[in-house]
């Protein structure tokens, strides 16, 4: 199956489909119609049919979608059929929250190291993973093939570590720092800007229906 | 100034303008042209002019935008000229990371309480704020006017606390739990689904230019 024609907008919606299909699988549901999925997900059935048509026309009229098949296909598109080696740069609360989140590990994102500049954190274990000092990071990256780095440290620190990560082969950055990182074309960045999300909430709160 | 005509797409971009304008203000920049801002933000100058035209045509040809004025206007649209009382439900690492993030406090989001069900956390201070037990939450909400609740607890817990929050006047939910919450029409929800963000990163990693 080729996926080159899947639009960015559809890709953005895939993780949500994946979550609902996973819940359905856990609830032992084998087939679901676009109308049922529409009720569940609060998306129009025609949107669902259009989106899922990208994975071949296997949702037949009056028959529905095969939940497990669709779940697996979407997983493959998202790259969840592989495993990834990941490090966390920034061993504060946010870094530790991510390191403790076992679901990521189950999905194939294996946390190999946590780094911080605070000597008080040196050697502290988070879910069995020791926090190392940031100056050990280049050596660590040379010895371990790491694809993904989560940046849970302040802006200035994040900007400083990016070149080190890139030089040492990291190809994907999950950026929680409040800055837009500059990376080469073959490195991808996904931003989680918490303060911008809180501003959206504040906007919505001030513009909600009363 | 009325803002009823600002589109959802523009609103989504406002926090990023706000961040760049804040950085410019800190760097003592008083005026900036759409071309300069375009280089800085990596957005076309015409997009910037279109977006900022929503706030009146005060960017004059050859003269540029007044940074502070624009920063303040966007802040008002986002509701950042007000203060909000907020609680955090879920006192684990993620909840503590948010409680420790002083920038939110500076922007007017004042954290009044942290709640958890784990008795070991009872009374623990996070940036001076004691963690309370979740069964004290209804009483706390009745005594304190709280507008925003951040949910940093697992899915099932999140679904259980939402009715309690809504009954007690909370109007905005910042949801980190991996579930779509069901709330009345006058309550707004902003989701931060970390695992979905990580899946986007994994997709991008597998579909990047090599």
């Amino acid at each position: 199956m080729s996926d080159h024609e899947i639009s960015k907008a559809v890709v953005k919606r895939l993780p949500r489909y994946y979550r609902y299909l996973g819940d359905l699988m856990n609830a032992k549901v084998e087939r679901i119609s676009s109308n049922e999925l529409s009720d569940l997900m609060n998306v129009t059935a025609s949107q669902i049919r259009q989106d899922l048509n990208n994975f071949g026309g296997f949702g037949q009229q009056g028959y529905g979608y095969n939940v497990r098949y669709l779940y697996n296909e979407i997983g493959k598109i998202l790259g969840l059929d592989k495993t990834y080696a990941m490090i966390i740069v920034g061993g504060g609360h946010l870094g530790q929250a991510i390191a403790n989140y076992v679901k990521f590990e189950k999905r194939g994102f294996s946390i190999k190291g946590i780094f911080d500049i605070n000597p008080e954190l040196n050697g502290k274990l988070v879910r069995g993973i020791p926090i190392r000092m940031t100056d050990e990071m280049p050596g660590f990256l040379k010895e371990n093939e790491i694809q993904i780095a989560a940046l849970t440290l302040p802006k200035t620190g994040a900007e400083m570590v990016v070149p080190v990560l890139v030089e040492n082969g990291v190809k994907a950055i999950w950026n929680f720092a409040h800055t837009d990182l500059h990376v080469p074309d073959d490195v991808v960045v996904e931003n989680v800007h918490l303060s911008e999300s809180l501003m959206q909430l504040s906007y919505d709160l001030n513009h909600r229906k009363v």
Side-chain angles (χ1 to χ4, degrees), chain A:
Chain A
M1 196 196 65
S2 132
D3 60 6
H4 62 274
E5 73 287 352
I6 298 175
S7 78
K8 191 88 189 153
V10 177
V11 170
K12 287 251 167 243
R13 290 193 286 268
L14 290 184
R16 190 161 177 260
Y17 282 114
Y18 191 74
R19 172 158 54 89
Y20 275 89
L21 290 164
D23 288 347
L24 287 167
M25 256 172 50
N26 288 340
K28 314 273 183 220
V29 176
E30 289 178 15
R31 304 207 144 261
I32 191 159
S33 69
S34 51
N35 287 325
E36 289 166 319
L37 202 52
S38 157
D39 287 345
L40 211 57
M41 294 184 64
N42 207 14
V43 177
T44 66
S46 96
Q47 164 95 81
I48 288 176
R49 283 190 294 267
Q50 264 182 45
D51 284 352
L52 301 186
N53 271 349
N54 283 292
F55 311 98
F58 42 72
Q60 284 172 278
Q61 194 80 36
Y63 188 65
Y65 296 102
N66 179 317
V67 171
R68 179 176 301 270
Y69 179 80
L70 204 48
Y71 177 83
N72 288 334
E73 288 304 304
I74 292 177
K76 277 185 226 165
I77 301 289
L78 292 171
L80 302 177
D81 54 337
K82 304 179 191 167
T83 57
Y84 303 93
M86 181 167 156
I87 61 166
I88 295 170
V89 192
H93 285 292
L94 186 55
Q96 292 190 34
I98 289 171
N100 273 307
Y101 200 64
V102 289
K103 236 183 197 169
F104 297 151
E105 201 87 32
K106 279 191 208 149
R107 290 268 160 77
F109 300 90
S110 178
I111 295 162
K112 303 295 187 190
I114 306 169
F115 296 89
D116 204 286
I117 51 164
N118 180 357
E120 283 177 30
L121 292 174
N122 197 0
K124 181 181 170 174
L125 293 177
V126 183
R127 210 165 47 78
I129 308 155
I131 300 183
R132 293 179 173 86
M133 294 295 92
T134 307
D135 55 14
E136 300 169 42
M137 201 175 69
F140 184 91
L141 291 171
K142 282 179 179 72
E143 280 165 34
N144 297 274
E145 204 180 308
I146 302 295
Q147 288 99 43
I148 301 177
L151 302 190
T152 49
L153 73 175
K155 179 174 167 165
T156 327
E159 283 161 353
M160 273 166 49
V161 298
V162 164
V164 181
L165 296 168
V166 168
E167 265 168 43
N168 289 289
V170 170
K171 292 298 179 200
I173 294 176
W174 198 19
N175 176 40
F176 289 79
H178 299 100
T179 185
D180 297 325
L181 301 172
H182 300 282
V183 295
D185 277 354
D186 67 336
V187 175
V188 295
V189 176
E190 166 81 10
N191 292 308
V192 182
H193 288 326
L194 294 184
S195 47
E196 300 191 6
S197 166
L198 187 53
M199 288 179 200
Q200 285 294 338
L201 184 66
S202 148
Y203 177 88
D204 289 341
L205 176 59
N206 282 284
H207 294 80
R208 74 200 158 89
K209 304 171 204 157
V210 182

